[in-house]
Amino acid sequence: MNELRNIHRGKVYLVGAGPGDPDLITVKGSKALEQADVIVYDRLINPELLALTTEESEHIYVGKTPGKPSVSQEQINTILIAKAKSGKMVVRLKGGDPFVFGRGGEECEELKANDISYEVIPGISSALAAPSFAGIPITHRKAGRSFTVVTGHTITGSDTFKNWGHLAYADTLVVLMGVRNLGAISAELIEHGRDGGTPVAVIERATYESQKVVYGNLENIKEKASETSPPATIVIGELAAMCNDLSWFKELKQEYTETTQEAQLLTNYAV
Ligand code: SAH
């Protein structure tokens, strides 16, 4: 891997950046960043990761900027192809995992069609990291032997949700991109037979220090989470209730704040 840049000139690496905490990128992903000539990155990646790159590397932001037209998928493909064709080692850095609602598949198809070699370096998807950091095991022998991950973006007016009836019976349902449709999602699940009292946790900015978890049930979560803004991951099912017992990350943050406050007090006292 150390020789990546020389061996793999003209190649694109689709790298999963993980959910936010920069330490959650894989070792292989961080090595690719260190070696890259060009980094093409999205809005949801933690910009701290760019510190791993060399000073000479070129950084191209292709996420949405408020008030500016967003870069289209075709434009992104064109950039990747042009940079690779000019002999650069390109890292396409994406939030979470590139193949989980990340259009990684489309980009690979396009690269293949243009004879560009590519590699995929998986990342920790927020679908897994958000429940972990909220203290929700998404499987547990007592209450869930399967989990389902869906997008909540296209809930209404789309064929994608033809099988919504099945989703109502998923052991643990993990919804990405669902915050704006939280009310519709809950209503749909109840309509298809899920109990209104089913636990729901909404995890905002998972793995960041600013992480927030709102807990409720299908009936009241829309109201309870009205202040939540994206990015957030929704976990629905009996196991979501475990965030009340196993909130290890929240406790860690509290402990850390208390220790720093104590240290501050001691320093003040010493002076
Ligand atoms: N490829 C990404 C998902 C991209 S879709 C992955 O594997 O994680 C974007 C959605 O991911 C957001 O709308 C949100 O639902 C979720 N998401 C991304 N980062 C998140 C974070 N730090 N906390 C909670 N949810 C997050």
Side-chain angles (χ1 to χ4, degrees):
M1 193 76 185
N2 279 341
E3 299 305 321
L4 265 184
R5 192 194 287 183
N6 294 327
I7 300 170
H8 297 309
R9 289 202 161 275
K11 184 164 178 176
V12 177
Y13 288 80
L14 271 88
V15 178
D21 176 346
D23 283 352
L24 288 174
I25 192 170
T26 63
V27 175
K28 193 167 183 175
S30 73
K31 282 183 181 167
L33 272 181
E34 283 164 17
Q35 307 274 326
D37 298 308
V38 183
I39 298 94
V40 181
Y41 66 102
D42 278 338
R43 186 175 51 98
L44 278 180
I45 69 128
N46 188 331
E48 279 180 40
L49 282 171
L50 297 173
L52 294 171
T53 62
T54 63
E55 258 179 47
E56 309 82 62
S57 62
E58 184 187 0
H59 297 176
I60 305 176
Y61 175 71
V62 292
K64 277 187 205 152
T65 312
K68 283 196 186 165
S70 55
V71 185
S72 70
Q73 190 59 49
E74 284 93 65
Q75 284 170 309
I76 297 172
N77 295 342
T78 309
I79 296 170
L80 296 178
I81 292 162
K83 293 291 175 188
K85 280 197 169 155
S86 68
K88 307 279 189 200
M89 173 182 163
V90 184
V91 162
R92 171 72 175 109
L93 190 61
K94 287 168 172 289
D97 180 86
F99 277 5
V100 177
F101 301 122
R103 301 205 176 164
E106 290 169 44
E107 290 175 13
C108 287
E109 285 174 314
E110 205 55 38
L111 292 169
K112 187 164 189 225
N114 284 276
D115 265 336
I116 310 273
S117 51
Y118 63 90
E119 234 178 81
V120 183
I121 303 181
I124 300 179
S125 175
S126 50
L128 299 179
S132 290
F133 271 66
I136 303 168
I138 51 175
T139 66
H140 191 298
R141 281 190 298 167
K142 72 179 176 200
R145 289 177 180 263
S146 70
F147 60 89
T148 308
V149 181
V150 287
T151 166
H153 187 55
T154 41
I155 176 170
T156 42
S158 159
D159 279 354
T160 324
F161 281 83
K162 277 197 289 234
N163 57 355
W164 200 240
H166 284 305
L167 295 179
Y169 291 96
D171 286 342
T172 308
L173 185 60
V174 180
V175 188
L176 302 189
M177 296 177 278
V179 177
R180 296 213 169 87
N181 283 330
L182 188 53
I185 291 167
S186 311
E188 202 76 18
L189 290 172
I190 293 172
E191 199 185 309
H192 283 90
R194 194 82 185 223
D195 192 293
T198 304
V200 183
V202 180
I203 308 137
E204 183 181 347
R205 289 185 62 76
T207 79
Y208 284 94
E209 242 176 79
S210 51
Q211 171 178 307
K212 282 202 192 96
V213 180
V214 178
Y215 179 72
N217 61 37
L218 280 179
E219 252 150 29
N220 63 21
I221 195 66
K222 184 187 171 203
E223 207 182 307
K224 282 193 153 184
S226 61
E227 309 267 284
T228 305
S229 38
T233 293
I234 304 161
V235 185
I236 301 165
E238 294 313 316
L239 290 172
M242 293 186 80
C243 72
N244 297 312
D245 287 336
L246 303 180
S247 55
W248 63 270
F249 184 57
K250 188 176 164 193
E251 284 156 29
L252 195 72
K253 283 194 294 177
Q254 266 159 7
E255 227 171 82
Y256 178 78
T257 319
E258 276 160 22
T259 325
T260 8
Q261 274 167 359
E262 236 167 69
Q264 192 60 47
L265 275 178
L266 285 174
T267 324
N268 292 347
Y269 190 66
V271 171

